[in-house]
Amino acid sequence: MPVETLIKEGDCLDVLQSQPSSSIDLMITSPPYADSRQSTYGGIHPDRYVEWFLPRAEQFLRVLKPTGSFVLNIKEKVVDGERHTYVLELILALRKQGWLWTEEYIWHKRNCYPGKWPNRFRDAWERCLHFTKEKKFKMNQDAVMIPMGDWAGSRLKSLGKNDVVRFDSKVGSGFGKNIANWVRRSMAYPTNVLHLATECGNRKHSAAFPPALPEWFIRVFTDLGDWILDPFAGSGTALKAAKGLGRNAMGIERCPEYCALAQEILNDAQLVLMQPESHYVTAL
Amino acid sequence: MPVETLIKEGDCLDVLQSQPSSSIDLMITSPPYADSRQSTYGGIHPDRYVEWFLPRAEQFLRVLKPTGSFVLNIKEKVVDGERHTYVLELILALRKQGWLWTEEYIWHKRNCYPGKWPNRFRDAWERCLHFTKEKKFKMNQDAVMIPMGDWAGSRLKSLGKNDVVRFDSKVGSGFGKNIANWVRRSMAYPTNVLHLATECGNRKHSAAFPPALPEWFIRVFTDLGDWILDPFAGSGTALKAAKGLGRNAMGIERCPEYCALAQEILNDAQLVLMQPESHYVTAL
DNA sequence: AGCTCTTATGAATCATTGA
DNA sequence: GTCAATGATTCATAAGAGC
């Protein structure tokens, strides 16, 4: 099943003008954080973050299908000793724009940056805000079930590589029935807390989320062949995840160097279904 | 070292009028959750939650010492398919009132309530909002260091009861020096994500937070002999934790039955320093 | 004592029913 | 219609029984 994977250079505010309405199934992105990467991204000042974001979000709202989802990975910076409020204000503003703030997932960063400050512990989590257009939206909960408890955990660990592949291929066409029976009994639905390690592999683009993050949301909120959009594509992590999972994807990125980097990464991307997966979510 | 533990019946808005200014080192509380059902006792409608909370927070601000902390355990409800925004609005309103929104800790509930819904996973986290009056405030980071990695974890498990007691007594007066050396090398500072199980024990009061939650913040933000206030004391979990850690505590509770229950629980409270602790924080 | 197995239940949420 | 009450769903713990 061939999928398209496009990268477009430019500001998503401009690029999306030519995108048809209601054409995207899932938007997932980690936008430029306020002021944090001034040198590379031309960071946005925290006090003006909402007004910068809103016109772009208006385009997002237009191109997203009614049953689609918008997942925004973001975390407020510390400014002057305090957590800045621009993320809170953004949520309120997006609701006024017509979005539904359906859920807030927590990405728990298992291996967060080391460091010590006198009045603060290490920051080990980020928000994954889930917005929708309608109360009813596409959601495939079975696609992200996790091993249940210790008993099942130890059983799963004893599985061979082939079993893992067949287990993983569940999302795709078929699912071995013999294994399905006891897997079903030993699997549980996840919660709204995701335990993922940060990946430090990508040196050229520092801010990207780990592939497991978009993978998880892509599995939950889209089917094979759906369209995924990352309006701040960066090095293309979400695009690669989409391609690997058999979804079409479009990325928009302002910086030409990141565009080139993303294109390069995408050329290496394979369908992950054919490989033992990266254990994107583990039971605690 | 004798400590005082008081319980006062009434609305904290009234009771605190007679409390001296700048007399409290730490406020930690889990306020009544917003509830759209009118029939439930004490339920505040989400749309009026902020206006209900603000005058009480004004008293909190007055009685708290300049170096003190205010920890607010709260989570927004789902209303009409959406996360309600009253918590976000409360944060913004508290900042206008003069509070600094210093940090947001995540309480990850390892054993959250079961259930399955078509558009939502189980809710496994709550906010612990940390407000202060000044940028510099009291913080004892060493008091909550955690075992680091598997090596230290397995070493700790092999310790006998006496070792555990001495290890635990670190927060108190003394700390065995022989064990201290290698413990120090194997301990790490925690992050702003707390992994605590909810407690199933308390049947009379539907168990706000588990004792480990206030314990953790009490260790971080207060010293022995400090004063702790819980303006919505419920069954007195925070008070008991404070007493057990050698801190003075005052609780305010509107419901007479909870007051009686809290008094009963406090009579059983011992200095936890003398007992093997409940492993309030585990490394992931 | 330890270990396995069973059972109860907890600040939940949604769809449905009835007033 | 809107609002309140009920049933169904479901998993990580603790506690207790049995060996």
Side-chain angles (χ1 to χ4, degrees):
Chain A
M1 183 183 304
V3 294
E4 289 187 73
T5 315
L6 315 173
I7 298 175
K8 301 190 179 186
E9 186 181 320
D11 188 324
C12 57
L13 180 58
D14 308 318
V15 175
L16 283 180
Q17 304 292 332
S18 59
Q19 177 73 17
S21 299
S22 297
S23 57
I24 300 294
D25 295 280
L26 169 65
M27 303 194 48
I28 179 164
T29 194
S30 188
Y33 285 17
D35 216 14
S36 53
R37 262 165 290 283
Q38 190 116 31
S39 56
T40 51
Y41 247 127
I44 297 94
H45 193 281
D47 295 341
R48 272 174 295 185
Y49 199 82
V50 174
E51 68 182 74
W52 171 83
F53 201 98
L54 276 187
R56 288 163 181 81
E58 199 179 331
Q59 289 300 310
F60 304 164
L61 191 62
R62 183 181 63 80
V63 302
L64 191 69
K65 290 184 185 174
T67 57
S69 283
F70 171 29
V71 175
L72 184 61
N73 168 226
I74 197 169
K75 178 67 183 277
E76 50 271 73
K77 277 185 68 97
V78 172
V79 176
D80 207 20
E82 245 189 313
R83 290 284 168 193
H84 201 280
T85 56
Y86 59 88
V87 174
L88 310 184
E89 287 154 8
L90 180 60
I91 296 173
L92 297 176
L94 286 175
R95 284 191 74 249
K96 271 192 185 169
Q97 200 177 50
W99 293 95
L100 299 179
W101 182 34
T102 297
E103 181 58 299
E104 179 170 344
Y105 292 83
I106 295 294
W107 168 25
H108 171 228
K109 297 189 274 191
R110 288 197 52 171
N111 57 339
C112 63
Y113 281 105
K116 186 182 186 306
W117 300 269
N119 59 353
R120 191 172 295 284
F121 288 122
R122 288 174 295 149
D123 191 10
W125 65 279
E126 295 192 9
R127 307 178 194 277
C128 292
L129 304 168
H130 179 207
F131 297 96
T132 61
K133 295 176 76 167
E134 308 282 346
K135 286 185 199 170
K136 299 206 174 187
F137 49 89
K138 181 189 290 192
M139 189 172 192
N140 307 317
Q141 302 200 353
D142 288 346
V144 291
M145 293 184 86
I146 55 178
M148 185 171 63
D150 282 342
W151 173 80
S154 52
R155 283 288 295 270
L156 276 181
K157 274 181 189 167
S158 67
L159 285 177
K161 229 176 191 176
N162 282 335
D163 296 319
V164 175
V165 171
R166 292 169 68 195
F167 163 70
D168 198 38
S169 69
K170 169 169 178 277
V171 198
S173 51
F175 187 37
K177 279 194 177 176
N178 51 345
I179 203 178
N181 280 336
W182 70 261
V183 163
R184 169 68 61 182
R185 281 200 303 271
S186 65
M187 301 293 278
Y189 291 103
T191 71
N192 55 4
V193 177
L194 307 177
H195 303 275
L196 304 178
T198 59
E199 289 219 344
C200 38
N202 220 340
R203 289 177 196 163
K204 296 178 188 173
H205 185 261
S206 55
F209 39 48
L213 189 70
E215 271 178 23
W216 195 84
F217 287 107
I218 287 170
R219 285 174 192 262
V220 176
F221 293 128
T222 67
D223 298 316
L224 282 170
D226 278 358
W227 271 97
I228 289 157
L229 169 64
D230 184 347
F232 308 102
S235 59
T237 308
L239 308 180
K240 182 178 174 182
K243 184 176 180 182
L245 291 169
R247 273 75 165 173
N248 301 289
M250 181 169 80
I252 305 173
E253 172 55 45
R254 220 168 49 172
C255 169
E257 292 156 18
Y258 288 156
C259 279
L261 179 60
Q263 191 63 64
E264 185 182 322
I265 288 173
L266 282 175
N267 292 338
D268 300 335
Q270 301 287 336
L271 269 179
V272 80
L273 298 181
M274 298 301 115
Q275 304 172 344
E277 79 178 35
S278 51
H279 278 293
Y280 50 97
V281 169
T282 60
L284 194 49
Chain B
M1 181 183 306
V3 294
E4 289 186 75
T5 315
L6 316 172
I7 298 175
K8 301 191 177 184
E9 186 182 320
D11 189 324
C12 58
L13 180 59
D14 308 319
V15 174
L16 283 179
Q17 304 290 333
S18 58
Q19 177 73 17
S21 300
S22 297
S23 58
I24 301 294
D25 295 280
L26 169 65
M27 304 193 47
I28 178 163
T29 194
S30 188
Y33 283 20
D35 201 336
S36 40
R37 291 171 301 183
Q38 294 292 346
S39 59
T40 311
Y41 167 80
I44 296 98
H45 195 281
D47 295 340
R48 275 173 295 188
Y49 199 81
V50 174
E51 70 181 75
W52 171 83
F53 200 97
L54 276 187
R56 289 162 180 83
E58 199 179 330
Q59 290 300 311
F60 303 165
L61 190 63
R62 183 182 63 79
V63 303
L64 192 68
K65 290 184 185 173
T67 58
S69 284
F70 171 30
V71 175
L72 184 61
N73 168 225
I74 197 169
K75 178 67 184 276
E76 51 271 72
K77 282 182 72 93
V78 171
V79 176
D80 206 19
E82 249 189 310
R83 290 286 168 193
H84 201 279
T85 57
Y86 59 88
V87 174
L88 310 184
E89 286 154 10
L90 180 60
I91 296 173
L92 298 175
L94 287 175
R95 284 191 76 250
K96 272 193 186 169
Q97 200 176 51
W99 293 95
L100 299 179
W101 182 36
T102 297
E103 182 58 300
E104 178 169 344
Y105 293 83
I106 295 296
W107 168 24
H108 170 226
K109 298 188 275 191
R110 286 199 54 176
N111 57 339
C112 62
Y113 209 98
K116 185 182 184 306
W117 309 272
N119 57 353
R120 190 171 296 282
F121 288 123
R122 289 173 297 146
D123 192 10
W125 66 278
E126 295 193 8
R127 307 177 194 278
C128 291
L129 304 168
H130 179 208
F131 297 95
T132 61
K133 292 176 79 166
E134 308 283 347
K135 287 183 199 172
K136 297 206 175 188
F137 50 89
K138 181 188 289 192
M139 188 172 190
N140 307 317
Q141 301 200 353
D142 288 345
V144 290
M145 292 184 85
I146 56 176
M148 187 171 61
D150 282 342
W151 173 79
S154 53
R155 283 290 293 271
L156 276 179
K157 273 183 188 166
S158 67
L159 287 175
K161 230 177 193 175
N162 282 335
D163 297 317
V164 175
V165 171
R166 291 167 71 196
F167 164 72
D168 198 38
S169 71
K170 170 172 177 275
V171 200
S173 50
F175 186 38
K177 280 195 177 176
N178 53 345
I179 203 177
N181 280 337
W182 70 261
V183 164
R184 170 67 63 182
R185 282 200 304 272
S186 64
M187 301 292 276
Y189 291 104
T191 70
N192 55 5
V193 178
L194 307 176
H195 302 274
L196 304 178
T198 58
E199 291 224 339
C200 314
N202 221 340
R203 289 179 197 165
K204 296 179 188 172
H205 183 266
S206 34
F209 37 51
L213 189 70
E215 271 177 24
W216 195 84
F217 287 107
I218 288 169
R219 287 174 193 261
V220 176
F221 293 126
T222 67
D223 297 316
L224 282 169
D226 277 358
W227 270 97
I228 289 157
L229 169 63
D230 184 347
F232 309 101
S235 59
T237 308
L239 307 179
K240 181 178 176 183
K243 184 176 181 183
L245 291 169
R247 273 75 165 174
N248 301 289
M250 181 169 80
I252 305 173
E253 172 55 46
R254 220 169 51 173
C255 171
E257 293 156 17
Y258 288 159
C259 279
L261 179 61
Q263 191 63 63
E264 185 182 320
I265 287 173
L266 282 173
N267 292 336
D268 301 335
Q270 303 285 335
L271 271 178
V272 81
L273 299 181
M274 298 300 115
Q275 303 174 342
E277 79 177 34
S278 50
H279 281 291
Y280 51 97
V281 170
T282 60
L284 194 48

